[in-house]
């Protein structure tokens, strides 16, 4: 495994330790609302610090894009870490056990390593570019199911910006009667890891941030799946509006969603 992937794993595990230490005392945590419906707690910040400490101790010259501290580190490099210390904060704060740590590394705009850790279940999803994807050291692949009728999809509902709510509901209405089921877990990083592991056949969501998706995108790619942006000419990482699945299912999903993509408004998330 690449040294960079090992550092990503070590960093994610340190973040997971911080989260687990606080999981039984969520009612005592200091919580702020960054924007309406968008929360941050001292656990998000503590986990992010722990992750950054690991990365900076080894790679002090790399750039950082992290959910809570934003852009940091060196600016004159195209080696960048993309970090969500706690994906699924709302779940975490309610004691709902669906959340994850997401750590990715990108070189010259190409994702090289991606790690999603579910600290409660002890599930570690790891991808290195060109080397495949693993769940706790076992190789994972996207599901082979190509019949939409049998497919179980993941999604996320809009929660902060409702500018594209109508487009989202049109997509939902189009897919719901055609698939076996749609699940909404509340952690996009875990949803994407589950697509990589074949637990979900596909995924779609609007308005995601790069830290929610970077590690998951590489996991899906290395597990034999694909992700496409729902915005023409913008990558899935940058657009934040995306659809994933195995290649056959993805093309069907994309065709079904296409009529509603034209209506997507607002800037893609940065
Ligand atoms: P976060 O917990 O890191 O902010 C997809 O729904 C993503 O939206 C989640 O991965 C989650 O990432 C983010 N999110 C933020 N606030 C949310 C909320 N109130 N409900 C659902 N998701 C939320
Ligand atoms: Ca987060």
């Amino acid at each position: 495994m690449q040294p960079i992937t090992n550092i990503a794993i070590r960093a994610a595990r340190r973040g997971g330790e911080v989260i687990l230490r606080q999981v039984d005392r969520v009612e005592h945590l200091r919580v702020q609302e960054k924007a309406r419906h968008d929360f941050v707690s001292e656990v998000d910040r503590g986990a992010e610090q722990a992750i950054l400490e690991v990365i900076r101790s080894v790679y002090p010259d790399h750039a950082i894009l992290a959910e809570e501290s934003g852009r940091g580190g060196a600016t004159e490099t195209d080696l960048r870490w993309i970090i969500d210390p706690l994906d699924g904060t709302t779940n975490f704060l309610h004691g709902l056990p669906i959340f994850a740590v997401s750590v990715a590394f990108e070189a010259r705009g190409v994702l090289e390593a991606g790690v999603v850790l579910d600290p409660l279940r002890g599930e570690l999803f790891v991808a290195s570019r060109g080397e495949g994807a693993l769940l706790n050291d076992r190789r994972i692949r996207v599901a082979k199911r190509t019949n939409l009728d049998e497919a179980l999809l993941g999604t996320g509902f809009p929660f902060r910006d409702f500018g594209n709510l109508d487009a989202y509901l049109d997509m939902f209405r189009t897919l719901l009667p055609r698939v076996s089921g749609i699940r909404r877990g509340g952690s996009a990083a875990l949803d994407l890891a589950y697509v990589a592991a074949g637990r979900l056949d596909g995924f779609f969501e609007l308005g995601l941030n790069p830290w929610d998706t970077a590690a998951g995108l590489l996991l899906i790619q290395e597990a034999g799946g694909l992700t496409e942006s729902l915005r023409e000419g913008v990558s899935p990482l940058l657009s934040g509006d995306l659809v994933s699945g195995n290649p056959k299912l993805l093309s069907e999903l994309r065709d079904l969603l296409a009529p509603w993509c034209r209506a997507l408004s607002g800037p893609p998330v940065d």
Side-chain angles (χ1 to χ4, degrees):
M1 193 175 289
Q2 304 289 340
I4 208 101
T5 310
N6 278 318
I7 299 305
I9 294 171
R10 202 190 304 165
R13 286 200 193 280
R14 287 286 303 281
E17 284 161 21
V18 172
I19 294 169
L20 282 187
R21 252 183 262 139
Q22 305 286 349
V23 78
D24 290 328
R25 52 181 301 278
V26 285
E27 65 277 15
H28 302 298
L29 294 176
R30 276 166 297 168
V31 179
Q32 285 165 281
E33 204 168 2
K34 289 190 281 190
R36 194 160 167 260
H37 299 165
D38 193 357
F39 298 95
V40 59
S41 72
E42 55 193 294
V43 173
D44 298 65
R45 297 208 168 98
E48 186 162 301
Q49 279 318 309
I51 292 166
L52 292 178
E53 264 170 42
V54 173
I55 292 170
R56 288 198 182 117
S57 70
V58 189
Y59 299 114
D61 300 332
H62 287 182
I64 303 282
L65 174 63
E67 175 164 19
E68 308 311 338
S69 51
R71 289 169 209 280
T75 49
E76 62 294 337
T77 173
D78 43 18
L79 306 177
R80 179 165 80 145
W81 292 85
I82 306 174
I83 298 158
D84 190 342
L86 176 50
D87 186 58
T89 300
T90 301
N91 287 347
F92 177 80
L93 292 174
H94 285 258
L96 189 65
I98 307 171
F99 46 81
V101 181
S102 177
V103 176
F105 176 73
E106 180 196 68
R108 291 164 285 278
V110 177
L111 291 165
E112 295 288 340
V115 173
V116 172
L117 171 68
D118 175 344
L120 279 179
R121 289 182 185 75
E123 290 193 325
L124 181 74
F125 301 85
V126 177
S128 298
R129 189 168 70 90
E131 295 185 6
L134 304 171
L135 163 53
N136 292 350
D137 296 327
R138 297 176 72 136
R139 179 60 65 100
I140 49 174
R141 302 282 304 167
V142 292
K144 291 195 185 69
R145 221 166 271 114
T146 51
N147 187 348
L148 202 57
D149 211 36
E150 294 169 3
L152 184 62
L153 304 184
T155 190
F157 308 140
F159 61 90
R160 184 179 51 212
D161 175 359
F162 296 104
N164 286 321
L165 182 60
D166 285 340
Y168 179 80
L169 292 175
D170 285 332
M171 292 178 179
F172 193 79
R173 191 179 296 110
T174 302
L175 294 181
L176 190 61
R178 291 182 163 85
V179 299
S180 157
I182 303 185
R183 301 287 179 264
R184 195 276 200 246
S187 162
L190 262 192
D191 289 334
L192 296 172
Y194 287 176
V195 172
R199 294 173 178 176
L200 292 171
D201 298 294
F203 175 81
F204 71 103
E205 186 162 349
L206 306 178
L208 290 167
N209 289 295
W211 46 80
D212 301 319
T213 61
L217 292 177
L218 187 63
L219 278 160
I220 291 178
Q221 180 184 313
E222 289 298 323
L226 291 173
T227 303
E228 279 188 16
S229 171
L230 295 171
R231 301 226 187 195
E232 217 167 295
V234 195
S235 71
L237 185 72
L238 295 182
S239 91
D241 300 335
L242 47 88
V243 55
S244 304
N246 68 42
K248 167 82 175 29
L249 205 63
L250 178 75
S251 83
E252 272 191 68
L253 290 171
R254 187 224 301 122
D255 291 350
L256 285 165
L257 297 180
W260 319 114
C261 295
R262 289 186 275 283
L264 292 177
S265 63
V269 275
D270 178 17

